């Protein structure tokens, strides 16, 4: 994980599933990062965000923001980075995770005086390369202006120090453009102006130097009423009289150009600035007679050789004794890898050792190689290495040499080497590379360019081939090329020319694998998920866990797999297609189906065990999944269960979809039924609708009426709770009830009756609601289903409360709460606690009500029930308003609204707007009351509920204008920080 604030505030997370942050969240995160390691109180954060005029909901917004930051960190397994201390919140990034820390560290390490000022300058340039524009560029908050000024001050100090070094080295010509830009942006920076004046004078441009001086004098006088300092005036006078001491320093004559065997450096090299700067820092940090070795690894086609060659050319001036290059042929078609003896012969020849003086034995050649390099400053690129054994004897002894090794494998056994693993190009760099090859046509179709790059997986080799094909086909549009690449059956063949191709490069990598590694590679290609855990791979390949994990690590080291998250392995998109094609050609169909069967059984059994931990009250209503024949590692408690389900959700969805599309109907139906409570309770409603839709079609195609009835009920619950689509939910429940009675499925019948009961309750048709819930209660008790019984008791308690039968309501809720706690149903307990709180509110017992709502809130946050969290916050706010605590009510409704919007929970959005309308009316903020009432009316009308008439009456009764309205941004839930 990496945080950047020297430019736009961004979080680069290793996991693609890490949630993004809203602007106000990034503003708070940036403030914490600016004070990393220091505890920051909530009051200080409020002051930093809004200054002396915070909104009423400021503290609630800060708490919500901290929760969002924690969710983002938790998704990347970095939640310990943000801690809560008595004094406040403190964030502690690891070294290398924050660009500001890295910048200050590099500047601090750059020696003030060095034997080689070029080394110091390189170090400062590496620090300046971390800046990506104006600091804190895309956020707004009270603190930003002053913080940005401080950061820019650090930048300019570093620029001035660099300029001083470069002027001392006689590199004034190279400085002029750079300094001109900084002076234009900072016209009152005297030292910068002096340095630009000196550079221009030394470059033979004294008139321009004096123009800079006049502009500075005029600007300083106009804006500050001051005259320049003594040093400026003296420099100005020295330029006028061409003082001898202003002349460039005398530099040593250039050494003769050394030997250079580096291949052609492509003129359109793009990006990789961070990696290049890292290589430069790595070499410049070596001030003794020690060999610097960098092992550059990465998948086929990622640009390892291109980077090494480009770096070699950029650093050539620092290695006057020569730049060497050898292809070790580990992945060269039709060639065996070079042995150490042959490689040493080539390298010694490049150094100028006559062939007759090169010894016969490998040991003697290695000794001569080390002897020749001692005392020389040489750069050598050892390209296309098979492994550490192949290059170990090619390494020098003591020398100021830089050895760049490229390999498709991680060279973990190469002691002392600095590893640099290349990933695919960032989108902006890929666009630049594509445009450099294609030319002006790219500017005319920017969206199509992005389509092509995504289809190429941002792999440099694929991007180059696609761009080259387009360049040589003037009639093709970029959109046409994108359409050709979308056809997965021929995408790899499209990314090939007569001399090179992506598939050919992948095949060479595959051929270097062992038989067991090749089999795992093929099987991973057929599994439908985006990534895989060692446990799932163990089931897929029918191997012991330790053996499966070893194979995954081997494939990771060979760069045919990648790892964006600890313990999870995935393919680059193009390698996935190659693995699938390889499996189709080499893996028998029955072996493929057996492997997928083992994998799906593993997912289903583990999911079933996890759901039983989280929702033990519903075991009897879910399918029982027998333990698989392969070893199983199911979750052991609630925490492990939710972690596993969150990690595997995308893969579970993919397996369900694959099964539905390949006539594996029982798996889709069982998976949907198993995951229903998890998807419903944890706000994954889109996944729930997708999976249940697949299960419904599967049940109908297979003629399984009971499964169809159960799935209709599950769909009804999703529509009811999250979308507030009550009529659609009722339609599903009625259809399910008919089917359940047709096949004699009493569990489904009871669930359908319950669903219809809560629809009638929402419509305030309480007699019908009571009738349906009472019938359902009888059925659940006959079945011995205690979870279903508790839910019916809760629903009946709500009906009694709405009809004013408070004692009956309390009794039903007490019974339901006892059953839920006895069966371990955390979600059921949360629901009942909130309903008891609402009952106490009806009785005017607000302290007791808030106590129960707070208990529900704690449970919902502990077990990640966001819908119930929003309900608890709205209920707390309603009680607070009844108690006269309007500020607290506004803050809690605001928090509920933020959460309900985040998870598209329409009923609670409407409830929050309704509550805020009443609170703002009571506070005299009539404009805000109007705004929230109108939004509540729109939502209630969409939901088709009686509350629409009530809020319409409220809205009509509001005065048309407020006497002293507060600014809307002070309390709207979507206010940016």
């Amino acid at each position: 994980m990496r945080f950047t604030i020297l430019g736009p505030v961004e979080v680069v997370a290793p996991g693609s599933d890490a949630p993004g942050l809203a602007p106000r969240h990034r503003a708070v995160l940036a403030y914490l990062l600016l004070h990393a390691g220091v505890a920051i109180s909530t009051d200080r954060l409020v002051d930093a965000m809004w200054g002396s005029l915070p909104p009423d909901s400021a503290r609630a917004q800060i708490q919500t923001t901290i929760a969002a930051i924690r969710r983002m960190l938790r998704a990347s397994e970095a939640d310990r980075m943000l801690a809560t201390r008595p004094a406040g919140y403190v964030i502690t990034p690891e070294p290398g995770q924050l660009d500001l820390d890295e910048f200050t560290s590099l500047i601090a390490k750059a020696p003030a005086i060095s034997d080689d000022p070029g080394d110091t300058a390189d170090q400062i340039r590496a620090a300046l390369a971390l800046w990506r524009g104006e600091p804190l560029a895309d956020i707004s908050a009270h603190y930003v202006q002053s913080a940005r000024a401080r950061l820019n001050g650090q930048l300019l100090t570093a620029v001035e120090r660099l300029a001083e070094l470069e002027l001392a080295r006689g590199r004034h010509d190279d400085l002029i453009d750079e300094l001109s830009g900084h002076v234009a942006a900072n016209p009152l920076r005297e030292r910068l102006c002096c340095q630009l004046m000196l550079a221009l004078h030394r470059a033979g441009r004294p008139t321009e130097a004096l123009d800079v001086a006049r502009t500075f004098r005029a600007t300083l006088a106009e804006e500050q009423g001051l005259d320049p300092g003594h040093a400026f005036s003296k420099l100005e006078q020295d330029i006028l009289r061409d003082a001898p001491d202003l002349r460039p320093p005398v530099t040593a004559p250039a050494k003769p150009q050394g030997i250079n065997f580096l291949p052609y450096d492509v003129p359109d090299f793009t990006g990789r600035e961070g990696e290049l700067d890292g290589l430069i820092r790595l070499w410049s940090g070596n001030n003794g007679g020690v060999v610097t070795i960098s092992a550059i690894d990465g998948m086929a086609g990622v640009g390892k050789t291109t980077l090494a060659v480009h770096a070699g050319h950029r650093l050539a001036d620092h290695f006057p004794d020569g730049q060497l290059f050898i292809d070790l042929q580990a992945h060269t078609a039709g060639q065996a890898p070079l042995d150490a003896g042959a490689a040493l012969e080539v390298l010694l020849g490049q150094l100028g050792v006559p062939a007759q003086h090169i010894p016969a034995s490998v040991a003697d050649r290695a000794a001569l190689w080390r002897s020749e390099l001692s005392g020389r400053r040489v750069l050598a690129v050892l390209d296309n290495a098979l492994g550490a054994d192949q290059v170990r004897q090619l390494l020098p002894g003591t020398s100021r040499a830089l050895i760049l090794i490229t390999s498709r494998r991680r060279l973990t056994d190469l002691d002392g080497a600095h590893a640099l693993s290349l990933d695919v190009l960032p989108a902006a760099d890929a666009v630049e590379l594509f445009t450099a090859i294609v030319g002006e046509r790219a500017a005319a179709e920017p969206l199509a360019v992005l389509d092509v790059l995504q289809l190429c997986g941002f792999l440099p080799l694929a991007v180059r081939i696609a761009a080259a094909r387009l360049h040589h086909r003037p009639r093709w549009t970029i959109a046409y090329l994108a359409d050709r690449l979308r056809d997965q059956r021929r995408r790899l063949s499209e990314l090939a020319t007569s001399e090179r191709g992506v598939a050919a490069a992948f095949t060479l990598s595959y051929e270097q694998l062992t038989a067991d590694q090749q089999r795992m590679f093929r099987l991973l290609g057929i599994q439908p998920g985006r990534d895989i855990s060692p446990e799932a791979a163990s089931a897929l390949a029918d191997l012991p866990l330790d053996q499966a994990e070893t194979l995954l690590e081997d494939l990771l080291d060979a760069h045919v797999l990648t790892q964006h998250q600890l313990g999870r392995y995935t393919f680059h998109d193009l390698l996935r297609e190659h693995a699938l094609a390889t499996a189709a050609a080499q893996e028998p169909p029955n072996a493929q189906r057996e492997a997928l069967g083992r994998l799906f059984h593993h997912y289903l059994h583990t999911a079933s065990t996890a759901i039983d931990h989280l929702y033990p009250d519903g075991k009897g209503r879910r399918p029982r999944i027998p333990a698989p024949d392969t070893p199983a590692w199911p979750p052991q408690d609630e925490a492990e269960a939710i972690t596993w389900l969150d990690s595997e959700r995308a893969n579970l969805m993919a397996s369900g979809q694959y099964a539905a599309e390949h006539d594996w109907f029982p798996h889709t139906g069982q998976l949907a039924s198993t995951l229903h409570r998890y998807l419903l309770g944890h706000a994954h409603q889109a996944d729930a609708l997708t999976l249940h839709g697949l299960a419904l079609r599967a049940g109908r195609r297979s003629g399984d009426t009971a499964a169809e009835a159960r799935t209709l009920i599950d769909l009804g619950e999703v529509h009811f709770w999250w979308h507030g689509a009550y009529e659609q939910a009722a339609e599903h429940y009625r259809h399910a009830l008919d089917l359940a009675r047709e096949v004699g499925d009493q569990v489904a019948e009871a669930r359908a009756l319950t669903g219809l009961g809560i629809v009638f309750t929402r419509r305030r048709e309480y007699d019908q609601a009571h009738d349906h819930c009472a019938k359902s209660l009888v059925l659940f008790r006959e079945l011995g289903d205690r979870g279903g019984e508790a839910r019916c008791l809760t629903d009946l308690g709500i009906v009694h409360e709405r009809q004013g039968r408070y004692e009956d309501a309390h009794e039903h809720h007490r019974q339901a709460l006892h059953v839920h706690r006895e069966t371990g149903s955390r979600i059921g307990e949360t629901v009942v606690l909130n309903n008891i709180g609402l009952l106490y509110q009806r009785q005017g017992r607000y302290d007791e009500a808030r106590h129960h709502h707070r208990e529900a809130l704690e449970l919902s946050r502990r077990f990640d029930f966001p819908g119930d969290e929003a309900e608890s916050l709205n209920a707390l706010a309603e009680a607070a308003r009844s108690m006269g605590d309007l500020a607290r009510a506004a803050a809690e409704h605001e928090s509920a609204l933020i959460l309900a919007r985040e998870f598209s929970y329409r009923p609670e959005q409407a409830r929050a707007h309704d509550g805020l309308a009443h609170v703002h009316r009571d506070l005299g903020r009539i404009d805000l009351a109007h705004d929230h009432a109108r939004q509540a009316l729109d939502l209630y009308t969409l939901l088709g509920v009686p509350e629409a008439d009530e809020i319409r009456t409220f809205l009509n009764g509001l005065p048309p204008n407020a006497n002293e309205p507060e600014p809307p941004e002070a309390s709207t839930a979507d206010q940016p920080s």
Side-chain angles (χ1 to χ4, degrees):
M1 172 166 279
R2 182 167 173 81
F3 304 95
T4 60
I5 59 178
L6 303 180
V9 177
E10 293 179 350
V11 182
V12 181
S16 59
D17 58 348
L21 291 177
R24 66 173 174 275
H25 300 163
R26 284 186 282 115
V28 172
L29 174 62
Y31 189 79
L32 292 171
L33 290 168
L34 283 167
H35 303 85
V38 178
I40 306 296
S41 66
T42 301
D43 289 340
R44 186 171 169 186
L45 284 172
V46 169
D47 182 68
M49 294 303 113
W50 294 282
S52 60
L53 295 173
D56 294 339
S57 62
R59 294 181 68 86
Q61 289 197 45
I62 293 297
Q63 291 166 1
T64 302
T65 297
I66 293 295
I69 295 171
R70 288 192 195 281
R71 280 196 296 273
M72 178 272 295
L73 293 173
R74 190 181 305 120
S76 299
E77 299 182 345
D79 45 319
R80 292 185 180 179
M81 190 183 299
L82 179 60
T84 303
R85 304 274 170 77
Y89 305 106
V90 58
I91 193 165
T92 52
E94 296 291 331
Q97 289 186 324
L98 176 60
D99 60 353
L100 176 59
D101 284 351
E102 191 174 357
F103 170 76
T104 53
S105 175
L106 286 169
I107 293 297
K109 290 177 182 177
I113 300 174
S114 171
D115 292 339
D116 186 352
D119 291 350
T120 306
D122 287 344
Q123 183 116 337
I124 295 175
R125 285 199 183 280
L128 294 175
L130 295 167
W131 289 70
R132 298 170 300 113
E134 185 177 50
L136 309 172
D138 58 345
I139 60 171
S140 59
H142 178 71
Y143 76 88
V144 167
Q145 184 174 358
S146 59
R148 188 177 289 148
R150 288 194 300 274
L151 291 171
N152 278 325
Q154 295 180 46
L155 169 69
L156 293 175
T157 300
V159 169
E160 289 166 349
R161 187 174 171 193
L162 174 66
E164 184 178 351
L165 287 166
E166 298 290 46
L167 286 168
R169 298 170 66 198
R171 301 185 64 176
H172 38 271
D173 287 315
D174 297 337
L175 275 176
I176 290 173
D177 288 344
E178 187 174 357
L179 287 177
S180 296
H182 287 296
V183 167
N186 302 274
L188 296 178
R189 191 86 174 185
E190 184 169 310
R191 188 181 179 196
L192 266 180
C193 288
C194 287
Q195 290 171 330
L196 177 57
M197 290 160 59
L198 181 57
L200 287 166
H201 177 69
R202 287 181 175 176
R205 298 157 65 178
T207 302
E208 294 174 61
L210 293 171
D211 285 342
V212 172
R214 280 191 292 272
T215 300
F216 176 74
R217 278 185 176 278
T219 305
L220 188 64
E222 181 181 345
E223 295 194 13
Q224 296 186 0
L226 299 174
D227 291 326
H230 173 72
F232 179 93
S233 299
K234 182 179 183 302
L235 175 63
E236 189 177 25
Q237 291 302 314
D238 287 347
I239 292 173
L240 280 168
R241 61 187 182 86
D242 192 17
D245 58 349
L246 293 188
R247 291 168 188 166
V250 178
T251 56
K255 296 181 180 180
Q257 181 66 35
I259 52 176
N260 189 332
F261 286 90
L262 293 176
Y264 171 65
D265 186 18
V266 292
D268 52 21
F269 183 91
T270 301
R272 303 294 191 202
E273 289 301 321
E275 291 87 345
L276 284 166
D277 289 341
L279 290 172
I280 293 170
R281 289 200 305 271
L282 174 65
W283 173 79
S284 61
N286 177 9
N287 293 315
V290 179
V291 180
T292 303
I293 304 168
S294 180
I296 305 170
D297 57 69
M299 66 181 289
V302 81
K304 302 177 293 296
T305 301
T306 303
L307 173 64
V309 169
H310 186 74
H313 282 289
R314 273 186 57 169
L315 289 167
D317 289 345
H318 298 283
F319 297 95
D321 296 322
Q323 300 88 48
L324 314 181
F325 180 89
I326 185 169
D327 180 1
L328 298 175
Q329 299 180 357
H331 301 92
T332 303
Q335 300 289 332
L338 283 185
D339 60 36
L344 286 165
E345 183 177 7
V346 172
L347 290 169
L348 287 167
Q350 290 181 3
L351 282 177
V353 178
Q356 62 270 25
H357 293 166
I358 297 176
S361 73
V362 174
D364 289 341
R365 288 180 178 184
L368 179 59
W369 165 249
R370 291 191 294 272
S371 175
E372 287 288 332
L373 286 186
S374 64
R376 295 202 199 195
R377 294 182 65 165
V378 169
L379 180 149
V381 177
L382 310 182
D383 187 45
N384 198 7
L386 182 61
D389 288 342
Q390 189 184 22
V391 300
R392 192 169 283 114
Q393 296 188 77
L394 310 184
L395 303 180
T398 58
S399 168
R400 283 219 64 188
L402 174 60
I403 308 299
L404 302 179
I405 306 168
T406 72
S407 178
R408 294 189 188 180
R409 290 183 172 274
R410 288 184 172 85
L411 304 182
T412 53
D413 294 330
L414 199 61
D415 296 336
H418 298 267
L420 173 59
S421 293
L422 288 191
D423 201 349
V424 296
L425 287 172
D429 292 346
V431 169
E432 186 178 346
L433 174 60
F434 187 86
T435 303
I437 300 171
V438 171
E440 296 178 355
R441 293 159 67 190
E445 298 180 78
L447 295 179
V449 169
L450 286 175
D451 285 343
V452 169
L453 296 176
Q454 288 173 341
L455 291 165
C456 291
F458 300 99
L459 184 69
L461 175 61
V463 173
R464 283 188 174 279
I465 292 174
R469 295 195 71 197
L470 194 66
H471 179 70
H472 290 286
R473 289 163 176 78
R475 293 184 179 275
W476 283 17
T477 64
I478 300 174
Y480 175 72
L481 175 61
D483 288 339
R484 291 176 68 95
L485 291 173
R486 284 192 185 93
D487 186 348
Q488 292 188 3
R489 295 168 299 178
R490 66 178 189 181
R491 184 180 304 165
L492 289 173
S493 62
E494 289 286 335
L495 295 173
T497 66
S498 59
E499 295 184 357
R500 60 180 177 172
V502 173
F506 291 164
T507 298
L508 290 169
S509 292
Y510 175 77
E511 289 173 350
Q512 292 291 339
L513 303 176
T514 66
D516 287 343
Q517 292 166 357
Q518 288 180 347
R519 175 175 179 266
M520 179 64 83
F521 175 82
R522 295 193 301 270
L523 293 179
L524 293 175
I526 66 171
Q527 70 96 12
R530 294 302 301 173
D531 64 6
I532 198 164
S533 67
E535 293 81 6
S538 170
L540 177 73
D542 196 15
L543 293 171
L545 177 60
D546 57 349
Q547 187 176 348
E549 191 164 16
T550 297
L551 289 173
L552 291 172
E553 287 292 315
D554 290 343
L555 296 177
L556 183 67
D557 287 341
H559 281 289
V560 294
L561 287 181
T562 61
Q563 191 173 56
H564 298 302
Q565 187 177 346
L566 188 65
R568 307 200 68 81
Y569 302 83
T570 188
F571 280 117
H572 182 276
D573 287 347
L574 295 178
L575 260 171
R576 185 188 308 279
E577 292 178 22
H578 185 70
L580 182 60
T582 305
Q586 299 182 20
E587 198 72 22
N590 62 322
Q592 293 185 44
R593 190 168 181 85
E594 288 170 4
L596 288 174
R598 291 190 299 268
L599 177 65
F600 292 170
H601 195 170
H602 160 79
Y603 280 146
L604 193 52
H605 176 262
T606 312
S608 178
T609 306
I611 297 296
D612 285 349
H613 282 300
L614 294 174
Y615 305 100
D617 57 314
K619 282 186 181 180
R621 280 171 264 137
R622 290 191 291 271
R624 293 294 84 204
I625 310 300
D629 295 331
T630 54
W633 298 269
Q636 299 300 307
D637 55 30
E638 291 171 327
E640 288 187 12
I642 193 66
T643 298
W644 187 89
L645 287 165
D646 286 347
S647 298
E648 296 288 2
R649 176 163 57 91
N651 292 328
L652 294 169
M653 290 294 299
S655 74
Q657 182 159 354
Y658 182 95
E661 292 171 352
H662 294 80
D663 297 337
W664 223 315
F665 299 136
H667 175 76
T668 303
Q670 290 178 327
L671 185 66
S673 181
T674 298
L675 294 178
H676 172 64
R677 293 285 295 279
Y678 161 72
L679 296 175
L680 182 68
H682 295 267
H684 304 307
Q685 57 265 39
D687 283 349
L689 289 175
T690 298
L691 188 57
H692 291 320
L694 292 169
L696 185 63
R697 289 192 290 275
R700 286 171 174 169
R701 288 182 63 185
S702 63
D704 189 340
T705 304
E708 181 182 353
R710 291 192 296 270
T711 305
L712 284 167
I713 295 167
D714 291 341
L715 279 168
E717 290 183 350
V718 177
H719 286 300
F720 181 94
W721 290 110
W722 287 103
H723 298 162
Y726 303 122
E727 183 53 43
Q728 192 170 1
E731 183 181 340
H732 285 320
Y733 292 144
R734 284 191 292 267
H735 190 187
L737 183 61
D738 292 340
L739 294 176
R741 286 172 172 169
E742 178 185 324
V743 297
D745 187 337
Q746 289 188 303
V747 172
E749 182 181 355
R751 289 184 65 205
L753 286 168
T754 302
L756 287 168
I758 59 174
V759 171
F760 284 124
T761 300
R762 195 68 185 85
R763 293 172 175 169
R764 300 182 182 176
E765 298 173 16
Y766 298 123
D767 290 339
Q768 291 197 65
H770 186 279
D771 179 58
H772 281 77
C773 291
K775 290 178 180 177
S776 178
L777 179 61
V778 171
L779 281 173
F780 277 127
R781 281 175 169 167
E782 288 177 355
L783 293 164
D785 187 331
R786 303 211 68 202
E789 176 188 353
R791 178 174 176 183
C792 289
L793 288 168
T794 302
D795 295 336
L796 285 167
I798 295 170
V799 173
H800 287 308
E801 174 251 309
R802 301 292 171 81
Q803 293 185 316
R805 296 189 293 272
Y806 298 146
E807 286 306 314
D808 288 341
H810 273 297
E811 180 57 31
H812 280 78
H813 286 322
R814 277 194 292 268
Q815 291 182 41
L817 186 60
H818 172 75
V819 174
H820 283 312
R821 285 174 172 169
E822 189 177 74
T823 59
S825 174
R826 305 296 189 180
I827 185 69
E829 183 179 356
T830 305
V831 170
V832 174
L833 286 169
N834 264 331
N835 279 295
I836 294 174
L838 293 173
L839 178 55
Y840 278 129
Q841 285 196 54
R842 288 287 289 267
Q843 295 178 289
R845 298 158 66 178
Y846 301 116
D847 287 332
E848 292 167 279
R850 283 188 63 87
H851 171 75
H852 282 78
H853 293 316
R854 277 194 296 268
E855 280 194 72
L857 181 64
E858 290 168 6
L859 279 173
S860 64
R861 285 175 171 170
R862 179 182 172 191
F863 294 100
D864 191 26
F865 303 138
D868 296 273
E869 183 180 350
E871 291 180 31
S872 302
L873 287 165
N874 270 328
L876 281 165
E878 289 158 358
R881 176 173 174 261
S882 297
M883 298 169 75
D885 191 345
L886 298 180
R888 183 183 296 273
E892 287 168 341
H893 273 314
E894 290 280 5
S895 295
L897 182 57
I898 290 168
L899 197 64
R901 278 178 170 166
E902 182 179 351
F903 293 99
S904 302
Y905 193 2
R906 286 179 189 164
E908 291 305 310
Q909 287 182 53
R911 184 180 177 186
H913 280 302
D914 191 337
L916 285 166
H918 285 81
V919 169
H920 287 306
R921 188 273 311 275
D922 295 347
L923 288 168
R925 301 167 178 169
I926 304 304
D927 286 354
L928 289 173
H930 271 281
D931 179 56
H932 284 290
R934 281 192 292 269
Q935 293 187 67
L937 177 60
D938 290 343
L939 285 165
Y940 282 142
T941 302
L942 179 66
L943 298 174
V945 292
E947 286 88 342
D949 293 334
E950 295 168 359
I951 197 67
R952 186 179 291 108
T953 301
F954 170 86
L955 187 58
N956 291 335
L958 286 174
N961 291 300
N963 293 327
E964 294 181 6
E966 278 196 12
E969 62 270 21
S971 59
T972 56
D974 288 334
Q975 173 184 320
S977 297

